Amino acid sequence: MSAIDFITGGRELLDTVQPLWEKLNKHHQENSRYFQDKFNNQTFDMRKKKFINDINTELRIDLVKDTENNSFVGYCISTVTIDLIGEIDSLYIESAYRKLGIGDELMCRSLVWLDSKNVRTKIIGVAEGNGQVFDFYKKYGFYERRTILEQITK
């Protein structure tokens, strides 16, 4: 296995996340039965603006770097709102690096940070079509609480 390094920061790391976020968005687009157009129309710049402009949200980014080939192979974005809602907002690991404990490390880092912020509630949103991640999140105590349906608009 390659040498892996974890880099932690804030908004200054958003541009580094972009290529990985775009792969996650493509995954959602390919696996969504009903909302492919939403993922197709979602750009990283749109997503980035939400994080840059939201002064009521604290942001943490954990990047995973393969130091042998000097490439970023995963990330986790976590947020805390002014109302003390903690969210694991986005998590992605390149397929070649899955099942190596990297996702576990990202989750643990995020959960420790959320606990340090004394959040009242911790949430994770799972995109429609990505239900295979439920078992992974259950290992950390996250379960389906409600399902939100959205009308498809043309």
Side-chain angles (χ1 to χ4, degrees):
M1 181 172 123
S2 298
I4 298 296
D5 193 18
F6 290 86
I7 300 160
T8 301
R11 287 171 173 82
E12 74 280 0
L13 296 178
L14 280 169
D15 288 332
T16 308
V17 167
Q18 182 173 354
L20 296 168
W21 180 90
E22 288 173 345
K23 289 179 181 182
L24 177 61
N25 193 57
K26 183 171 177 59
H27 168 79
H28 289 318
Q29 179 186 3
E30 290 171 351
N31 289 284
S32 177
R33 290 174 288 170
Y34 308 109
F35 297 101
Q36 298 91 354
D37 288 344
K38 288 197 180 263
F39 293 111
N40 188 44
N41 294 328
Q42 174 80 353
T43 67
F44 182 75
D45 284 337
M46 293 164 58
R47 191 73 180 116
K48 180 179 169 182
K49 282 180 187 172
K50 175 198 176 256
F51 292 126
I52 297 289
N53 295 329
D54 190 350
I55 60 170
N56 293 317
T57 300
E58 211 173 330
L59 178 81
R60 174 187 168 115
I61 297 174
D62 285 296
L63 284 168
V64 182
K65 186 174 189 176
D66 180 332
T67 58
E68 287 184 12
N69 65 23
N70 198 32
S71 65
F72 291 100
V73 299
Y75 76 92
C76 182
I77 298 176
S78 305
T79 58
V80 176
T81 67
I82 197 167
D83 298 324
L84 296 178
I85 306 296
E87 180 172 6
I88 297 174
D89 188 277
S90 185
L91 189 147
Y92 177 80
I93 302 165
E94 293 276 16
S95 59
Y97 294 83
R98 294 178 190 158
K99 308 281 188 207
L100 300 175
I102 294 170
D104 179 63
E105 181 67 22
L106 288 172
M107 285 295 294
C108 289
R109 287 170 174 262
S110 179
L111 293 171
V112 166
W113 181 71
L114 293 175
D115 286 342
S116 77
K117 298 298 178 179
N118 297 312
V119 298
R120 294 182 301 123
T121 304
K122 296 174 196 160
I123 61 172
I124 300 173
V126 175
E128 175 268 327
N130 201 31
Q132 74 273 13
V133 300
F134 285 143
D135 286 339
F136 173 76
Y137 290 129
K138 283 179 184 175
K139 293 189 301 188
Y140 305 94
F142 289 89
Y143 295 90
E144 296 172 74
R145 180 171 168 238
R146 65 179 156 213
T147 301
I148 298 172
L149 303 179
E150 182 176 326
Q151 183 183 35
I152 298 174
T153 57
K154 305 285 182 205

